[in-house]
Amino acid sequence: MQRYQRQMMLAEIGEAGQQKLLDARVLVAGAGGLGATLLPQLVGAGVGHIRLYDDDVVALHNLHRQTLFTEQDIDQPKVLRAQQALQQRNPQVQIEALQQSLSASNVQQALAGCDLVIDAADNFAVTYQLSDACMKAGMPLISASVLGRQGYVGGFCGGAPSYRAVFPRLPSSAANCNTAGVMGPAVATLGAMQAQMALSVLLELQPSPLGCLVNCDFVNWHFRPFRFDDAEEPEHAVPFIDPQQLAADDCIVELRSCEEAPVSVAHRVERILPQAIAAWQPPAQQRIVLVCASGIRAAQVASALAQRGFLQLAILAANRP
């Protein structure tokens, strides 16, 4: 226990708290910018078992914020290089590395046996899937997102409202770090805050970060926390699915043009552009699966269809996990 002596000196941790951390099993989605700070903090604190999902490889243009990696790691799988780097930092911690993305079809398996989930994917499709799964399982979820010099981190589910309760609608833009840019220290700060929230949940410290969201604005230097303990869950939540979850009787609607997506996710699709949905009469008694690149157009169409009374809906984001 000598490794953890300085944190065990805290009255709220002590030997009993340290044992809680050593016994904990945490699922982390994403080994990128948020994970570069988050993961070493968890390992340093002695979280006993970390299950890590990521299907990407290390790239030169990401090293400014993905500081867990070096140029020697370029083109190598992130999870494997992260596993090696983390084991060198603390061999006592078990790192279960899975070189695949989290998706609707494997999220239940990913959560199995875990005490807490950390969403470090910074991908809203993954966030909604994790929130839905954690809400159903009663498992805490710590999620963060950052773009440019602004971001937020919050604790959801596990007795608190879900991510959907706070963000019932998808963002209006699919902008991300790859398309709009981001500063490394902003990402690192949010990743460190995720780690602190996660450790606080595992140690059952009060007040709990579950039900709390902190907005971080590094442009105007505003840090604004607020609690959402009384946020109401949306009445009709449209789930994200993946191609493996398509059913034979689904009505699959491709919202992308032939130029954008010459080949869709399945052979049996109706190709209807979003502006033509108002004149379309959906089939009765069938689930309608709306397909687009990121999920944003599908969510907007799903909202319009729900207003018309069609509630058997699902979203398939073809370019997202």
Side-chain angles (χ1 to χ4, degrees):
M1 289 287 197
Q2 186 175 0
R3 173 188 289 270
Y4 313 112
Q5 182 185 30
R6 292 299 184 267
Q7 69 185 26
M8 289 172 61
M9 291 171 66
L10 296 172
E12 61 268 35
I13 298 181
E15 188 172 341
Q18 189 60 52
Q19 192 59 53
K20 284 183 181 179
L21 296 180
L22 293 171
D23 293 339
R25 299 177 63 89
V26 174
L27 167 65
V28 178
L34 292 167
T37 298
L38 158 71
L39 289 164
Q41 291 293 335
L42 297 181
V43 166
V47 173
H49 187 108
I50 297 173
R51 181 177 295 160
L52 179 60
Y53 275 74
D54 196 302
D55 68 340
D56 202 4
V57 297
V58 179
L60 180 63
H61 62 263
N62 288 329
L63 291 183
H64 80 287
R65 69 186 187 280
Q66 297 179 7
T67 53
L68 190 59
F69 309 117
T70 69
E71 288 194 13
Q72 285 67 45
D73 298 322
I74 290 173
D75 294 329
Q76 299 300 310
K78 287 181 183 177
V79 287
L80 301 183
R81 303 309 292 172
Q83 181 186 43
Q84 182 181 49
L86 296 170
Q87 295 284 203
Q88 289 174 347
R89 283 166 169 80
N90 189 349
Q92 298 175 357
V93 172
Q94 291 184 322
I95 309 295
E96 183 184 355
L98 294 103
Q99 193 180 340
Q100 55 184 289
S101 62
L102 271 174
S103 67
S105 60
N106 68 15
V107 68
Q108 294 297 334
Q109 178 183 353
L111 264 64
C114 290
D115 303 303
L116 178 140
V117 177
I118 304 178
D119 167 27
D122 208 355
N123 175 318
F124 62 80
V126 172
T127 302
Y128 281 102
Q129 290 167 13
L130 283 173
S131 178
D132 292 346
C134 286
M135 195 64 180
K136 183 177 180 180
M139 191 176 297
L141 169 68
I142 307 298
S143 182
S145 179
V146 59
L147 192 65
R149 289 186 286 157
Q150 296 175 312
Y152 64 82
V153 58
F156 308 89
C157 307
S162 71
Y163 184 87
R164 285 188 184 272
V166 183
F167 300 101
R169 295 181 180 83
L170 269 66
S172 57
S173 168
N176 56 42
C177 295
N178 292 327
T179 60
V182 69
M183 287 195 73
V187 180
T189 302
L190 271 296
M193 292 176 71
Q194 278 189 292
Q196 186 62 54
M197 281 192 170
L199 295 175
S200 296
V201 171
L202 293 173
L203 291 166
E204 302 178 86
L205 303 182
Q206 297 299 323
S208 173
L210 298 178
C212 177
L213 187 141
V214 183
N215 282 307
C216 301
D217 181 349
F218 301 100
V219 178
N220 301 299
W221 298 103
H222 294 156
F223 299 86
R224 294 173 176 162
F226 70 89
R227 296 205 64 89
F228 55 89
D229 303 273
D230 298 325
E232 295 184 2
E233 299 296 329
E235 188 174 352
H236 300 293
V238 181
F240 280 84
I241 67 169
D242 55 36
Q244 289 73 31
Q245 295 175 309
L246 290 171
D249 59 348
D250 282 339
C251 174
I252 306 171
V253 179
E254 174 60 76
L255 298 171
R256 298 172 294 174
S257 67
C258 291
E259 290 74 23
E260 182 183 355
V263 179
S264 186
V265 296
H267 297 297
R268 46 186 179 82
V269 301
E270 290 191 52
R271 198 177 290 269
I272 307 172
L273 298 184
Q275 57 267 32
I277 286 292
W280 177 59
Q281 183 59 39
Q285 307 303 318
Q286 278 186 271
R287 182 176 69 164
I288 303 169
V289 178
L290 300 163
V291 181
C292 71
S294 67
I296 290 177
R297 280 171 289 183
Q300 293 168 346
V301 170
S303 178
L305 290 174
Q307 291 177 7
R308 292 168 57 187
F310 298 98
L311 302 178
Q312 294 187 64
L313 301 165
I315 294 171
L316 201 161
N319 291 354
R320 300 269 178 156

